[in-house]
Amino acid sequence: VLFFQSTTQKSWRDKLAGVYRFAQEAGWQVQVVASGSSVADVCATLALWQPIGCIVDRAMTLGRTPVRLFCRTPVVFLDQKPSTGRRKRFPTVLHDSAATARVGAEELLRSEVRSFTYVPWNKPAFWSDERERSFARAVRAAGRTYLRWTGDIRNLPTPCGVLCANDIVAQRTMAEATRLGLRIPEDLLFVGIDDDPL
């Protein structure tokens, strides 16, 4: 079984660990393909390994599902845009982005802070949009103020609770806050998503 996936992020490595556990029980051999996901790369890899099936993570395709490449090979996509998987009749497994955002909201709402925002992924992404909607609903349901992210951290009131799309966004946004002299957590309380300890 070929697993087309990057292993640079902790959450992606966690997925890989889960696949390995299942593969041991199923008697599969799993080969991780962490190289490029161009048409030529995928075709060459399929020809080389001749897999019984493939698992293709969104991290390897950046949301572009190369469905035509897998017409003769069973494939399951991880975290691809849901409409893509359904339209092409390929199975897609999604993590629950809304539930993830609710957990982040619960953590931030434990504070006395009244205002909150969500910093999205730097490009349009269905999972990031879903997290934002869920977070905004949770904040408003708690009787607090949700502020739409404007792209400028200086527009936020202080104190403010900030949920970031993932740990990469959190790290970048916290660095910008520090550069501007904002105090963490006194001025801005941050929660990132993916549980990367670094």
Side-chain angles (χ1 to χ4, degrees), residues 80-127:
Q80 293 287 343
K81 188 172 182 179
S83 61
T84 302
R86 286 195 295 267
R87 185 172 64 247
K88 298 296 183 179
R89 297 185 182 174
F90 280 109
T92 302
V93 177
L94 297 169
H95 71 279
D96 191 337
S97 295
T100 304
R102 286 193 297 272
V103 171
E106 288 170 11
E107 182 65 26
L108 287 168
L109 288 167
R110 290 188 184 118
S111 71
E112 298 299 319
V113 173
R114 303 302 304 169
S115 299
F116 299 85
T117 194
Y118 173 83
V119 183
W121 183 238
N122 59 354
K123 296 177 182 174
F126 74 93
W127 55 269

Side-chain angles (χ1 to χ4, degrees), residues 26-53:
W28 294 349
Q29 176 186 348
V30 175
Q31 176 65 41
V32 176
V33 181
S35 61
S37 59
S38 70
V39 171
D41 289 338
V42 173
C43 288
T45 303
L46 291 173
L48 173 68
W49 290 98
Q50 298 181 7
I52 61 167

Side-chain angles (χ1 to χ4, degrees), residues 135-175:
F135 181 65
R137 278 193 302 269
V139 167
R140 291 178 180 130
R144 313 246 190 128
T145 303
Y146 178 75
L147 304 167
R148 182 88 185 196
W149 175 248
T150 65
D152 189 342
I153 204 165
R154 293 170 292 191
N155 292 338
L156 296 176
T158 55
C160 186
V162 183
L163 178 65
C164 295
N166 59 24
D167 290 336
I168 297 169
V169 173
Q171 186 177 31
R172 184 183 69 226
T173 310
M174 289 173 68

Side-chain angles (χ1 to χ4, degrees), residues 60-81:
M60 284 304 294
T61 60
L62 302 176
R64 302 181 310 272
T65 313
V67 291
R68 69 184 183 282
L69 303 179
F70 299 99
C71 291
R72 295 182 180 87
T73 306
V75 63
V76 173
F77 290 100
L78 300 181
D79 292 327
Q80 293 287 343
K81 188 172 182 179

